[in-house]
Amino acid sequence: MVYLGLLLALLTWPQAWRFLFGRMVLISLVALGPFLAHLWWNWNNCSVNLAFNFGFRANESTGWGPLYVLLTILIMAGPAGFLALWAAPRVRKFGFFSRAFLATLLVMLLISIWRQEFGVNWGTPLAGMAVLALAELRPQAFDLARRAGLVLAAALVLPIAVLALALDMDLLKVGDFRDGSAGFAADLILDLNDGTLPALLRPLAKGRVLVTQEYGVGAGFDNAGFDETTVFSTTIFGRNQDLLTDFRMLDGRDMVIVPFAAKADQALADRLFDSYEIVTLSTARQSYEFILGRGFSYETYRKGWIMPVITALYQQSRFPYRACYMDKYR
């Protein structure tokens, strides 16, 4: 988005055409190398990165894309972004930075309308661009932007910091304001991040494959140093396990499944294991029902989890590819 915004800004500024058709071409050719390597990797790996970043995420569309662009400006660029937008109509001549800022915002707006969604974090470069644009458009507004930015930061950060401190000191429980699965998942993340849950699980995970049902939780256990982890999922998220795990090699293995809800999924255990037991362990925050499964059935998992994913997602990708690591499961 920023690259397209820069090109648009340079195209609208005749004084920059020499740079655009000179050094900018060389810069683009250098950047083309990693970009082509990225395309080559996708060509040989189901185009998975392209599909899940530019294809299947459209299923999450809220229809509020343009409003998310405004939220992006607020969070990423803050008052400087809005002050630059406010000053723009009052300026007769635009410099490079103001052109780049406005053109990038236009590209973001068009993408949000096209996709009917927009990721707030996509606008990370806007902060620096907004400050540079404001320096060109209305430098006398810097003091106002600084003071307003401090107020905004305090309004956003202080409540979050107080809440995080209260949760960390166990003065407040997630269940006090979030119940059900959302509250359980939040407490699980807290137990994972402070090391409580990994310490609880290490004896159970010895000699077993640790399984989660959510990719972020799985990544947390990887970071905690667990040797063998994987994810059971049929959603569009967390598909990395399809690339990183060869489930054929797990046939017959013993596993420990970390729940993502208050009660263990016994229906899942009934289908996937020769036998199992449920072990309940507690932290200061909540209790967990871990499934200790014996004799993982790869064939059942292939039919019930992997093949539906192949049919619903990989086979529906609009992006061409030469090879797919999922073919080994057919």
Side-chain angles (χ1 to χ4, degrees):
M1 289 182 290
V2 174
Y3 178 77
L4 293 177
L6 290 176
L7 290 183
L8 183 57
L10 293 170
L11 281 170
T12 61
W13 197 20
Q15 295 95 313
W17 287 357
R18 182 175 180 181
F19 173 80
L20 174 61
F21 298 108
R23 281 179 288 178
M24 190 64 179
V25 173
L26 294 177
I27 293 171
S28 299
L29 287 174
V30 172
L32 185 62
F35 180 69
L36 289 177
H38 174 71
L39 292 180
W40 178 253
W41 184 91
N42 275 274
W43 176 246
N44 290 286
N45 289 278
C46 321
S47 283
V48 65
N49 180 266
L50 298 175
F52 291 105
N53 281 289
F54 301 103
F56 294 117
R57 288 186 182 271
N59 296 335
E60 307 156 45
S61 173
T62 62
W64 290 11
L67 292 180
Y68 284 132
V69 174
L70 291 177
L71 184 61
T72 297
I73 300 172
L74 177 66
I75 294 178
M76 298 300 176
F82 288 106
L83 285 171
L85 285 174
W86 176 78
R90 296 164 175 78
V91 176
R92 292 186 177 181
K93 293 184 178 180
F94 293 102
F96 169 71
F97 295 115
S98 51
R99 289 172 185 268
F101 173 67
L102 294 172
T104 300
L105 275 180
L106 177 61
V107 171
M108 290 180 177
L109 182 62
L110 292 175
I111 289 175
S112 73
I113 293 172
W114 168 49
R115 295 175 64 89
Q116 290 296 295
E117 61 149 346
F118 197 80
V120 175
N121 59 314
W122 298 352
T124 303
L126 284 181
M129 297 177 75
V131 170
L132 293 171
L134 190 61
E136 286 184 343
L137 294 168
R138 194 174 177 82
Q140 61 269 36
F142 260 107
D143 187 54
L144 175 59
R146 179 182 61 80
R147 285 185 277 115
L150 289 174
V151 172
L152 176 64
L156 291 175
V157 175
L158 285 179
I160 296 174
V162 170
L163 177 61
L165 182 62
L167 289 171
D168 188 59
M169 296 177 65
D170 291 327
L171 300 175
L172 187 67
K173 304 293 184 185
V174 174
D176 294 338
F177 51 91
R178 292 296 300 272
D179 55 7
S181 60
F184 182 89
D187 275 330
L188 185 150
I189 297 299
L190 291 173
D191 278 337
L192 174 58
N193 290 343
D194 68 13
T196 302
L197 192 56
L200 201 66
L201 268 171
R202 289 193 193 281
L204 293 181
K206 191 171 296 184
R208 297 185 176 96
V209 180
L210 189 146
V211 180
T212 72
Q213 294 172 275
E214 205 277 336
Y215 80 102
V217 176
F221 283 112
D222 284 337
N223 292 336
F226 284 78
D227 293 331
E228 292 186 283
T229 65
T230 192
V231 180
F232 286 172
S233 174
T234 56
T235 71
I236 66 172
F237 296 108
R239 300 266 47 97
N240 282 342
Q241 79 273 8
D242 296 333
L243 177 62
L244 301 176
T245 301
D246 187 344
F247 288 97
R248 298 173 301 178
M249 300 296 102
L250 300 182
D251 190 39
R253 292 289 304 276
D254 295 341
M255 297 179 171
V256 52
I257 298 182
V258 180
F260 208 59
K263 292 293 183 181
D265 190 346
Q266 291 184 256
L268 178 146
D270 287 334
R271 294 178 62 187
L272 292 181
F273 299 106
D274 294 337
S275 63
Y276 66 91
E277 63 179 300
I278 295 176
V279 175
T280 302
L281 297 176
S282 300
T283 67
R285 294 188 176 93
Q286 63 187 2
S287 295
Y288 297 90
E289 292 187 350
F290 301 107
I291 295 174
L292 304 185
R294 305 180 189 90
F296 170 66
S297 174
Y298 157 72
E299 188 59 28
T300 301
Y301 184 79
R302 186 186 76 85
K303 292 178 180 178
W305 276 259
I306 298 178
M307 292 310 298
V309 165
I310 291 176
T311 301
L313 301 176
Y314 289 89
Q315 289 182 178
Q316 305 302 318
S317 172
R318 299 191 300 268
F319 298 91
Y321 54 84
R322 180 181 67 175
C324 184
Y325 48 81
M326 299 298 287
D327 290 340
K328 62 179 174 285
Y329 297 124
R330 295 182 185 277

Short mmCIF file of all heavy atoms in Angstrom, two decimals, residues 2 6 35 42 54 60 67 82 94 113 129 157 161 193 195 203 222 228-229 232 237 243 250 306 321 328:
data_model
loop_
_atom_site.label_atom_id
_atom_site.label_comp_id
_atom_site.label_asym_id
_atom_site.label_seq_id
_atom_site.Cartn_x
_atom_site.Cartn_y
_atom_site.Cartn_z
N VAL A 2 1.91 1.25 0.81
CA VAL A 2 2.79 2.41 0.87
C VAL A 2 3.51 2.59 -0.46
O VAL A 2 3.65 3.72 -0.96
CB VAL A 2 3.79 2.26 2.03
CG1 VAL A 2 4.81 3.40 2.01
CG2 VAL A 2 3.05 2.25 3.36
N LEU A 6 3.34 5.83 -2.75
CA LEU A 6 4.51 6.59 -3.18
C LEU A 6 4.52 6.79 -4.69
O LEU A 6 4.83 7.88 -5.19
CB LEU A 6 5.78 5.87 -2.74
CG LEU A 6 6.08 5.85 -1.23
CD1 LEU A 6 7.33 5.03 -0.94
CD2 LEU A 6 6.25 7.27 -0.70
N PHE A 35 10.56 -9.97 -3.88
CA PHE A 35 9.17 -10.17 -4.26
C PHE A 35 9.02 -11.39 -5.16
O PHE A 35 8.11 -12.22 -4.97
CB PHE A 35 8.63 -8.92 -4.96
CG PHE A 35 7.20 -9.05 -5.38
CD1 PHE A 35 6.18 -9.08 -4.43
CD2 PHE A 35 6.86 -9.14 -6.72
CE1 PHE A 35 4.85 -9.20 -4.81
CE2 PHE A 35 5.53 -9.25 -7.12
CZ PHE A 35 4.52 -9.28 -6.16
N ASN A 42 5.57 -19.36 -3.13
CA ASN A 42 4.14 -19.63 -3.20
C ASN A 42 3.81 -20.58 -4.35
O ASN A 42 2.94 -21.45 -4.22
CB ASN A 42 3.36 -18.32 -3.35
CG ASN A 42 3.07 -17.66 -2.03
OD1 ASN A 42 2.09 -17.95 -1.36
ND2 ASN A 42 3.95 -16.74 -1.63
N PHE A 54 -4.82 -12.79 0.89
CA PHE A 54 -5.55 -12.00 -0.09
C PHE A 54 -6.80 -12.69 -0.63
O PHE A 54 -7.51 -12.14 -1.44
CB PHE A 54 -4.64 -11.64 -1.27
CG PHE A 54 -3.42 -10.88 -0.87
CD1 PHE A 54 -2.19 -11.49 -0.78
CD2 PHE A 54 -3.51 -9.54 -0.55
CE1 PHE A 54 -1.06 -10.79 -0.39
CE2 PHE A 54 -2.40 -8.82 -0.15
CZ PHE A 54 -1.16 -9.45 -0.08
N GLU A 60 -14.12 -12.90 6.17
CA GLU A 60 -14.31 -12.22 7.45
C GLU A 60 -14.85 -10.80 7.26
O GLU A 60 -14.99 -10.05 8.22
CB GLU A 60 -12.98 -12.13 8.19
CG GLU A 60 -12.27 -13.45 8.35
CD GLU A 60 -10.79 -13.21 8.53
OE1 GLU A 60 -10.41 -12.32 9.31
OE2 GLU A 60 -10.01 -13.92 7.89
N LEU A 67 -14.51 2.60 7.65
CA LEU A 67 -14.48 3.05 9.03
C LEU A 67 -13.23 2.55 9.74
O LEU A 67 -12.67 3.24 10.61
CB LEU A 67 -15.73 2.57 9.78
CG LEU A 67 -17.06 3.19 9.33
CD1 LEU A 67 -18.21 2.62 10.14
CD2 LEU A 67 -17.02 4.71 9.46
N PHE A 82 -4.98 13.34 11.68
CA PHE A 82 -6.20 14.12 11.46
C PHE A 82 -5.89 15.60 11.23
O PHE A 82 -6.56 16.27 10.44
CB PHE A 82 -7.15 13.95 12.64
CG PHE A 82 -7.79 12.59 12.68
CD1 PHE A 82 -7.38 11.65 13.61
CD2 PHE A 82 -8.78 12.24 11.77
CE1 PHE A 82 -7.96 10.39 13.65
CE2 PHE A 82 -9.37 10.99 11.80
CZ PHE A 82 -8.96 10.06 12.73
N PHE A 94 1.37 21.11 -2.58
CA PHE A 94 1.75 19.99 -1.73
C PHE A 94 3.20 19.60 -1.99
O PHE A 94 3.65 19.57 -3.15
CB PHE A 94 0.86 18.77 -1.99
CG PHE A 94 -0.58 18.96 -1.60
CD1 PHE A 94 -1.55 19.22 -2.54
CD2 PHE A 94 -0.94 18.87 -0.27
CE1 PHE A 94 -2.86 19.41 -2.19
CE2 PHE A 94 -2.27 19.05 0.12
CZ PHE A 94 -3.23 19.33 -0.86
N ILE A 113 -12.64 -0.36 0.56
CA ILE A 113 -13.93 -0.43 -0.14
C ILE A 113 -14.01 -1.70 -0.97
O ILE A 113 -15.04 -2.38 -1.01
CB ILE A 113 -14.11 0.82 -1.04
CG1 ILE A 113 -14.24 2.07 -0.15
CG2 ILE A 113 -15.32 0.67 -1.94
CD1 ILE A 113 -14.22 3.37 -0.95
N MET A 129 4.62 9.02 8.43
CA MET A 129 4.18 9.77 7.25
C MET A 129 3.32 10.97 7.66
O MET A 129 3.42 12.05 7.06
CB MET A 129 3.38 8.85 6.33
CG MET A 129 4.19 7.69 5.76
SD MET A 129 3.20 6.57 4.74
CE MET A 129 3.02 7.57 3.26
N VAL A 157 -3.88 4.12 26.64
CA VAL A 157 -2.89 3.25 27.27
C VAL A 157 -3.12 3.07 28.77
O VAL A 157 -3.00 1.95 29.30
CB VAL A 157 -1.46 3.78 27.01
CG1 VAL A 157 -0.44 2.94 27.78
CG2 VAL A 157 -1.15 3.76 25.53
N ALA A 161 -3.20 -0.39 30.76
CA ALA A 161 -2.11 -0.68 31.69
C ALA A 161 -2.65 -1.03 33.07
O ALA A 161 -2.17 -1.97 33.72
CB ALA A 161 -1.16 0.51 31.77
N ASN A 193 1.28 -17.05 29.19
CA ASN A 193 2.30 -16.01 29.09
C ASN A 193 3.13 -15.85 30.36
O ASN A 193 4.31 -15.49 30.29
CB ASN A 193 1.63 -14.67 28.75
CG ASN A 193 1.10 -14.64 27.33
OD1 ASN A 193 1.48 -15.46 26.50
ND2 ASN A 193 0.21 -13.71 27.05
N GLY A 195 3.96 -18.27 32.32
CA GLY A 195 4.71 -19.50 32.56
C GLY A 195 4.02 -20.52 33.43
O GLY A 195 4.52 -21.64 33.59
N PRO A 203 5.33 -32.06 32.87
CA PRO A 203 5.32 -33.50 33.21
C PRO A 203 4.37 -34.30 32.33
O PRO A 203 4.68 -35.44 31.95
CB PRO A 203 4.84 -33.50 34.68
CG PRO A 203 5.17 -32.14 35.19
CD PRO A 203 4.95 -31.23 34.03
N ASP A 222 5.35 -23.34 21.68
CA ASP A 222 6.63 -23.42 20.97
C ASP A 222 7.65 -22.49 21.60
O ASP A 222 8.80 -22.86 21.84
CB ASP A 222 6.43 -23.04 19.49
CG ASP A 222 5.77 -24.14 18.69
OD1 ASP A 222 5.85 -25.31 19.10
OD2 ASP A 222 5.16 -23.84 17.65
N GLU A 228 7.64 -31.01 20.90
CA GLU A 228 6.71 -31.46 19.87
C GLU A 228 5.33 -30.84 20.11
O GLU A 228 4.66 -31.15 21.08
CB GLU A 228 6.59 -32.98 19.88
CG GLU A 228 7.85 -33.70 19.44
CD GLU A 228 7.63 -35.19 19.32
OE1 GLU A 228 7.59 -35.85 20.39
OE2 GLU A 228 7.48 -35.71 18.20
N THR A 229 4.94 -29.95 19.22
CA THR A 229 3.62 -29.33 19.30
C THR A 229 2.97 -29.34 17.93
O THR A 229 3.66 -29.34 16.91
CB THR A 229 3.70 -27.88 19.79
OG1 THR A 229 4.39 -27.09 18.81
CG2 THR A 229 4.42 -27.78 21.13
N PHE A 232 -4.68 -28.86 15.95
CA PHE A 232 -5.83 -29.50 15.29
C PHE A 232 -6.83 -28.41 14.93
O PHE A 232 -7.42 -27.80 15.82
CB PHE A 232 -6.51 -30.50 16.22
CG PHE A 232 -5.75 -31.79 16.43
CD1 PHE A 232 -6.18 -32.72 17.37
CD2 PHE A 232 -4.62 -32.09 15.69
CE1 PHE A 232 -5.51 -33.90 17.57
CE2 PHE A 232 -3.92 -33.28 15.89
CZ PHE A 232 -4.37 -34.19 16.83
N PHE A 237 -7.48 -20.12 9.88
CA PHE A 237 -6.35 -19.67 10.68
C PHE A 237 -5.49 -20.86 11.11
O PHE A 237 -5.95 -21.97 11.23
CB PHE A 237 -6.84 -18.92 11.91
CG PHE A 237 -7.59 -17.67 11.60
CD1 PHE A 237 -8.96 -17.60 11.77
CD2 PHE A 237 -6.92 -16.58 11.10
CE1 PHE A 237 -9.64 -16.44 11.48
CE2 PHE A 237 -7.60 -15.41 10.80
CZ PHE A 237 -8.97 -15.34 10.98
N LEU A 243 1.97 -27.09 6.98
CA LEU A 243 3.29 -27.02 6.37
C LEU A 243 4.37 -27.58 7.29
O LEU A 243 5.30 -28.24 6.83
CB LEU A 243 3.60 -25.57 6.02
CG LEU A 243 4.98 -25.26 5.41
CD1 LEU A 243 5.14 -25.98 4.08
CD2 LEU A 243 5.16 -23.76 5.22
N LEU A 250 2.74 -38.94 12.96
CA LEU A 250 2.18 -38.95 14.32
C LEU A 250 1.26 -40.13 14.56
O LEU A 250 0.73 -40.28 15.67
CB LEU A 250 1.41 -37.64 14.57
CG LEU A 250 2.22 -36.35 14.45
CD1 LEU A 250 1.34 -35.15 14.77
CD2 LEU A 250 3.44 -36.38 15.37
N ILE A 306 -8.16 -33.09 7.76
CA ILE A 306 -7.30 -32.62 6.67
C ILE A 306 -8.05 -32.53 5.35
O ILE A 306 -7.96 -31.51 4.64
CB ILE A 306 -6.06 -33.53 6.52
CG1 ILE A 306 -5.23 -33.48 7.79
CG2 ILE A 306 -5.23 -33.09 5.33
CD1 ILE A 306 -4.02 -34.39 7.77
N TYR A 321 -0.61 -22.59 -8.58
CA TYR A 321 0.61 -23.12 -7.99
C TYR A 321 0.98 -24.41 -8.72
O TYR A 321 0.15 -25.06 -9.33
CB TYR A 321 0.45 -23.36 -6.49
CG TYR A 321 -0.72 -24.23 -6.08
CD1 TYR A 321 -0.62 -25.62 -6.10
CD2 TYR A 321 -1.92 -23.66 -5.67
CE1 TYR A 321 -1.68 -26.41 -5.71
CE2 TYR A 321 -2.99 -24.44 -5.29
CZ TYR A 321 -2.87 -25.82 -5.31
OH TYR A 321 -3.92 -26.61 -4.94
N LYS A 328 0.35 -34.88 -0.17
CA LYS A 328 0.78 -36.13 0.46
C LYS A 328 -0.33 -36.79 1.27
O LYS A 328 -0.23 -37.95 1.64
CB LYS A 328 2.00 -35.89 1.35
CG LYS A 328 1.78 -34.94 2.51
CD LYS A 328 3.07 -34.80 3.32
CE LYS A 328 2.93 -33.75 4.42
NZ LYS A 328 2.97 -32.38 3.88
#
